[in-house]
């Protein structure tokens, strides 16, 4: 592993801020060293089926200790359920012991990937055409590697944060039905998850079709995933003697009413900021509608225009949609059973049981029974986007990408932030990594991230974390 003096690291960091807005002709020496760490993490298989998060955690722990972190500062914590599900916790203490640390949170497990489906081996890092290709290239080993490497940089340069830094590389974000490391740590090792706030996945930057930066995202809050099962039972009978009281008809009627129903608009701080800042960027009718809706959430005409985009519609209201059906037992018999799964993405802070009751009102049929599926996720309001959170991100973004706005948003998906927010650790998605409009194959085939975006994101996180760690 290449080592650098504190002065050299500082000089390289300054050069990064000056040059990152333009394409670099060749990687800097510190970027090449980072690439080796990233490669090691990528090529350590951490899928649920055959991988090991523990192996990845141990490799990152070895690198941290080689940089000067002591045994007490670096822990690989393995749950008793499975020796492969380990997590890494590493601490750089602050000079003010009264202040809780900033948590740098990233999951190191990845979605399954079959070699036969991919153009390239998904567990070999391939650099090609300005991209890194691999499973986890973006989600979430890009941030995990950047946080780890930056913790090494801070140690080598002798950085003394006022507020400590806590690295948490966890397992199970992609397979929470089997195990979730953040949830387990909060329940079994809560002392290692204490923090003033956390930085996590959930927001990057957006590139246009030409690769130009459009905006940098910061995410606050996320919707709650909840499935509900609709069930109708009936005595049934012979299909030659049909009756109106048919299980399928009851279910079909309920789902038809659901399809025509819109949950009320409820715009939180993050969504309002998003519409305010995206309105001028979007322009045209949609941009004007976003600006108007940010000023007046009751503006139904503006809401109708914004809602044409499924993602933005989901940002401003709870959504529920039918995703699976199962009915009948024979082609020549009246159905005795009809069932549907309705998947809801619930606005943060809204009660899961209240949504169930609202669904029953929409279905308006006592024959349709509605039950919750699985263990409900914790429900919490979105964390506040304060000046202390937005200020450092805006300052570093302005240095690295002048004129590129920082745009807050609420996530319509789910991350480990749902657990940390519920535990009293405000959690924000912030990576500084710009992605292509098509999503870069995340969770799909041939996952990729631009080389430029990865290196820039690492530098962005390096600088912004320093600012968070030194403020009061």
């Amino acid at each position: 592993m290449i080592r650098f003096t504190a002065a050299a690291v500082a000089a390289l960091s300054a050069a990064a801020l000056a040059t990152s807005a333009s394409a670099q002709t060749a990687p800097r020496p510190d970027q090449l060293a980072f690439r080796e760490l990233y490669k090691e993490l990528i090529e350590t298989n951490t899928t649920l089926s055959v991988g090991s998060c523990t192996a990845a955690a141990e490799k990152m722990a070895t690198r941290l200790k080689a940089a000067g972190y002591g045994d007490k500062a670096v822990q690989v914590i393995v749950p008793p359920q499975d020796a492969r599900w380990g997590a890494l916790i590493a601490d750089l203490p602050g000079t003010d012991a009264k202040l809780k640390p900033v948590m740098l949170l990233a999951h190191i497990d990845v979605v399954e990937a079959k070699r036969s489906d991919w153009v390239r081996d998904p567990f070999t890092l391939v650099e090609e055409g300005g991209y890194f290709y691999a499973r986890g290239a973006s989600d979430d080993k890009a941030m995990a590697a950047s946080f780890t490497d930056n913790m090494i940089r801070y140690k080598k340069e002798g950085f003394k944060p006022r507020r400590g830094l806590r690295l948490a590389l966890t397992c199970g974000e992609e397979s929470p039905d089997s195990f979730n490391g953040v949830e387990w740590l909060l329940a079994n090792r809560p002392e290692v998850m204490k923090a003033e706030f956390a930085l996590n996945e959930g927001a990057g930057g957006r590139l246009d079709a030409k690769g130009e930066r459009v905006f940098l995202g910061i995410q606050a809050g996320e919707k709650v995933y909840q499935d509900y099962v609709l069930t109708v039972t009936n005595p049934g009978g012979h299909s030659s003697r049909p009756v109106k009281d048919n299980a399928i008809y009851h279910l079909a009627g309920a789902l038809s009413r659901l399809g025509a129903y819109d949950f009320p608009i409820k715009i939180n701080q993050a969504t309002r900021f998003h519409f305010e800042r995206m309105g001028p960027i979007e322009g045209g009718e949609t941009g004007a509608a976003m600006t108007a809706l940010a000023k007046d959430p009751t503006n139904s005409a503006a809401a109708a225009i914004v809602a044409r985009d499924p993602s933005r519609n989901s940002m401003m209201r709870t959504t529920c949609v039918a995703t699976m059906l199962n009915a009948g037992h024979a082609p020549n018999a009246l159905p005795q059973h009809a069932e549907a799964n309705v998947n809801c993405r619930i606005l943060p802070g809204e009660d899961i049981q209240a949504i169930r009751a609202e669904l029953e009102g929409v279905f308006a049929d006592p024959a349709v029974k509605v039950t919750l599926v699985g263990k409900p996720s914790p429900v919490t309001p979105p964390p506040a986007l304060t000046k202390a959170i937005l200020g450092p991100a805006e300052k570093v973004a302005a240095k690295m990408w002048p004129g590129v706005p920082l745009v807050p948003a609420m996530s319509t998906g789910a991350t480990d932030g749902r657990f940390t927010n519920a535990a009293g650790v405000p959690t924000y998605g912030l990576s500084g990594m710009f992605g292509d409009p098509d999503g870069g194959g995340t969770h799909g085939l041939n996952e990729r991230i631009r080389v430029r975006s990865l290196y820039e994101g690492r530098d962005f996180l390096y600088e912004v974390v320093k600012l968070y760690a030194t403020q009061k």
Side-chain angles (χ1 to χ4, degrees):
M1 184 168 60
I2 301 174
R3 299 180 183 274
F4 301 96
T5 65
V9 171
L12 289 168
S13 174
L17 291 176
T19 63
S20 59
S22 59
Q24 298 173 3
T25 57
R28 307 189 310 257
D30 67 304
Q31 290 173 332
L32 292 175
F34 163 67
R35 187 187 188 281
E36 289 305 308
L37 183 153
Y38 177 61
K39 174 181 171 68
E40 182 176 44
L41 190 57
I42 287 287
E43 296 185 354
T44 303
N45 189 318
T46 53
T47 57
L48 177 65
S49 60
V50 298
S52 172
C53 289
T54 302
E58 288 174 342
K59 290 175 181 178
M60 296 301 101
T62 297
R63 286 179 174 269
L64 288 164
K65 290 179 180 179
Y69 286 89
D71 290 341
K72 292 183 179 180
V74 179
Q75 305 177 64
V76 175
I77 302 173
V78 181
Q81 297 96 311
D82 195 309
R84 302 173 303 143
W85 293 346
L88 171 65
I89 304 294
D91 285 295
L92 181 62
T95 57
D96 189 341
K98 296 179 181 179
L99 298 179
K100 289 187 287 187
V102 177
M103 183 184 295
L104 311 179
L105 176 64
H107 68 86
I108 51 177
D109 62 308
V110 296
V111 171
E112 303 289 339
K114 293 183 179 179
R115 175 65 185 94
S116 57
D117 294 337
W118 283 53
V119 172
R120 307 158 192 84
D121 183 347
F123 299 104
T124 298
L125 183 66
V126 175
E127 183 176 351
E128 182 180 304
Y131 288 91
F132 286 124
Y133 290 87
R135 173 57 85 220
S138 175
D139 186 17
D140 187 29
K141 290 183 176 180
M143 285 190 73
S146 294
F147 281 151
T148 304
D149 186 70
N150 285 339
M151 288 286 282
I152 291 171
R153 296 168 79 183
Y154 300 143
K155 189 69 173 180
K156 288 182 176 180
E157 71 183 40
F159 175 53
K160 302 293 184 183
R162 185 169 186 269
R163 185 184 298 278
L165 298 176
R166 172 162 290 166
L167 175 66
L169 303 184
T170 62
C171 193
E173 195 272 349
E174 303 290 9
S175 53
D177 290 340
S178 298
F179 172 79
N180 181 274
V182 169
E183 185 179 28
W184 185 87
L185 287 167
L186 286 168
N188 295 276
R189 294 292 303 275
E191 73 280 2
V192 304
M193 298 300 287
K194 291 181 179 179
E196 182 68 18
F197 65 90
L199 301 182
N200 184 34
E201 64 172 340
R206 175 61 62 86
L207 301 170
D208 63 18
K210 297 180 180 179
E212 298 296 327
R213 302 173 192 86
V214 179
F215 66 87
L216 176 65
I218 181 170
Q219 175 251 326
E222 54 192 61
K223 298 182 86 173
V224 175
Y225 178 109
Q226 182 61 53
D227 286 313
Y228 298 85
V229 168
L230 282 53
T231 306
V232 183
T233 57
N234 194 286
H238 202 288
S239 63
S240 66
R241 301 176 64 232
V243 295
K244 300 298 184 183
D245 184 18
N246 183 298
I248 291 177
Y249 296 164
H250 282 287
L251 184 63
L255 294 177
S256 179
R257 288 186 283 277
L258 175 63
Y261 180 73
D262 285 325
F263 283 81
I265 291 174
K266 296 180 181 179
I267 296 179
N268 57 35
Q269 182 195 34
T271 301
R272 178 170 59 83
F273 281 172
H274 180 81
F275 288 164
E276 282 180 352
R277 299 189 183 189
M278 280 302 298
I281 296 172
E282 186 84 10
E285 182 185 41
T286 301
M290 293 169 73
T291 300
L293 195 58
K295 293 179 180 178
D296 179 11
T298 66
N299 188 327
S300 58
I305 295 171
V306 175
R308 294 171 188 168
D309 181 287
S311 295
R312 289 170 180 154
N313 178 60
S314 187
M315 287 178 64
M316 61 186 185
R317 54 165 50 103
T318 289
T319 60
C320 293
V321 60
T323 55
M324 297 178 70
L325 287 169
N326 183 27
H329 62 284
N332 59 349
L334 300 179
Q336 298 172 2
H337 182 92
E339 184 177 282
N341 187 84
V342 169
N343 176 244
C344 293
R345 304 299 177 115
I346 302 169
L347 287 174
E350 292 199 339
D351 182 73
I352 290 174
Q353 291 292 355
I355 297 299
R356 175 180 174 273
E358 189 167 353
L359 286 172
E360 289 175 333
V362 172
F363 300 147
D365 187 342
V368 179
K369 305 301 180 186
V370 184
T371 56
L372 276 70
V373 178
K375 179 182 177 183
S377 293
V379 177
T380 54
L385 285 163
T386 63
K387 183 178 180 180
I389 294 298
L390 290 174
E394 290 174 328
K395 181 176 182 179
V396 178
K399 288 182 180 179
M400 294 185 68
W401 309 293
V404 177
L406 181 71
V407 177
M410 178 196 68
S411 173
T412 57
T415 74
D416 281 332
R418 66 191 186 276
F419 299 113
T420 47
N421 276 313
V425 180
T427 302
Y428 303 91
L430 184 66
S431 71
M433 299 177 190
F434 288 78
D436 293 323
D438 65 1
T442 299
H443 283 211
L445 296 177
N446 307 311
E447 183 179 345
R448 71 186 191 278
I449 186 173
R450 288 180 184 246
V451 175
R452 180 190 74 180
S453 294
L454 177 64
Y455 289 157
E456 285 183 350
R458 167 180 172 259
D459 286 335
F460 173 82
L461 291 171
Y462 172 82
E463 295 293 339
V464 80
V465 167
K466 271 192 161 185
L467 292 182
Y468 286 135
T470 53
Q471 67 183 357
K472 296 182 180 180

